[in-house]
Amino acid sequence: MSIDLSIFTSYAPQFFLGFWMTIKIVIGAIILGMPFGLVLALCQRSRFRLLRILTISYIEIFRNTPFIIQLFIFFYVLPFYGLHLPAAYVGTVALAAFGSAYFAEVIRGGINAVTKGQLESARATGMSDWAAMRYVVLPQTLPIILPAMTNQTLSLVKESAILSTITVGELTMAAITVQGETFRPFEAFIMIAIMYWALNETIAIIMRRVERKVSNRSNSGRANG
């Protein structure tokens, strides 16, 4: 089977438009999902039993059901309640909701990895629970959770391909459109496979450098302490 290289050049603008849409959606999902994941992680430690139950239920539902089903619920059910949003917005919110459940578990695990004595010592100095969490526990949590947060971010990039099922013009949708026009699926999907790999590899390289800097800073702080 011969490869038609002209498809890579002729349809490059279409691929890069989809690539840019994928980047925007993933960034939006991270901006929404990470802070919400932190809130969920902290809510699991709440003294209020009902809040803990609701939080755990949310996390378990989003972790144990397929993302494509969650996406369809957002896309097809929300309009029945008067929420008519563009597909890209719905996809971003759905991806953020999905990612937040995993971010919450990563953050919760990181918090639990910090010895309880740290929190108790902070409280003994007169700090409130929130102040102790913010200034003592969470800074120590960051180097612990960064590798897992990186993996989850890479997963969001890959899961974003499912948004093509609701006609979001992201990278996979671009490939589907190109192969429909050219009847050359091999070239179209090879192209986006390379682009997904390049995006995730770039993220992984950046995050590995961040991990080293955070780890060095944390080790330096312990040495000075």
Side-chain angles (χ1 to χ4, degrees):
M1 180 183 67
S2 61
I3 298 177
D4 186 357
L5 297 177
S6 66
I7 291 176
F8 300 141
T9 55
S10 300
Y11 290 89
Q14 197 162 330
F15 283 121
F16 280 104
L17 280 175
F19 187 63
W20 177 235
M21 177 61 78
T22 292
I23 291 173
K24 289 193 293 185
I25 287 171
V26 171
I27 290 174
I30 291 171
I31 290 173
L32 294 173
M34 279 192 180
F36 190 44
L38 174 59
V39 171
L40 292 171
L42 295 177
C43 285
Q44 290 187 78
R45 303 172 61 86
S46 172
R47 298 172 183 174
F48 300 102
R49 187 168 181 268
L50 178 60
L51 182 58
R52 291 200 309 273
I53 291 172
L54 291 175
T55 302
I56 293 170
S57 298
Y58 173 94
I59 291 171
E60 292 305 311
I61 288 170
F62 276 89
R63 288 179 66 214
N64 297 314
T65 57
F67 174 59
I68 192 169
I69 304 301
Q70 299 167 20
L71 179 63
F72 286 164
I73 290 173
F74 275 91
F75 188 68
Y76 292 111
V77 174
L78 289 182
F80 284 100
Y81 295 93
L83 290 173
H84 299 275
L85 299 173
Y89 290 176
V90 174
T92 302
V93 171
L95 194 63
F98 172 77
S100 67
Y102 288 89
F103 288 137
E105 284 299 278
V106 171
I107 295 169
R108 183 186 65 82
I111 291 172
N112 289 342
V114 177
T115 57
K116 292 182 179 179
Q118 297 282 336
L119 186 58
E120 293 169 358
S121 298
R123 286 171 177 165
T125 64
M127 283 187 176
S128 65
D129 286 349
W130 165 242
M133 185 63 66
R134 180 181 178 185
Y135 295 111
V136 177
V137 177
L138 290 180
Q140 296 181 68
T141 299
L142 185 58
I144 298 171
I145 67 174
L146 266 177
M149 294 292 267
T150 300
N151 288 338
Q152 187 52 41
T153 299
L154 300 181
S155 294
L156 287 185
V157 174
K158 292 180 284 187
E159 293 291 344
S160 70
I162 297 176
L163 303 187
S164 62
T165 60
I166 59 170
T167 70
V168 176
E170 45 70 68
L171 190 52
T172 298
M173 190 65 185
I176 292 172
T177 303
V178 169
Q179 70 89 23
E181 293 175 3
T182 62
F183 300 101
R184 303 287 297 191
F186 180 77
E187 288 86 347
F189 290 108
I190 280 294
M191 182 68 175
I192 67 164
I194 293 171
M195 295 175 84
Y196 277 120
W197 171 82
L199 177 57
N200 269 354
E201 187 63 25
T202 301
I203 293 171
I205 290 171
I206 292 171
M207 292 309 296
R208 279 196 290 268
R209 290 179 179 176
V210 172
E211 287 171 26
R212 284 197 295 269
K213 287 184 178 179
V214 171
S215 179
N216 291 339
R217 188 177 303 170
S218 177
N219 291 337
S220 176
R222 289 197 194 100
N224 294 333

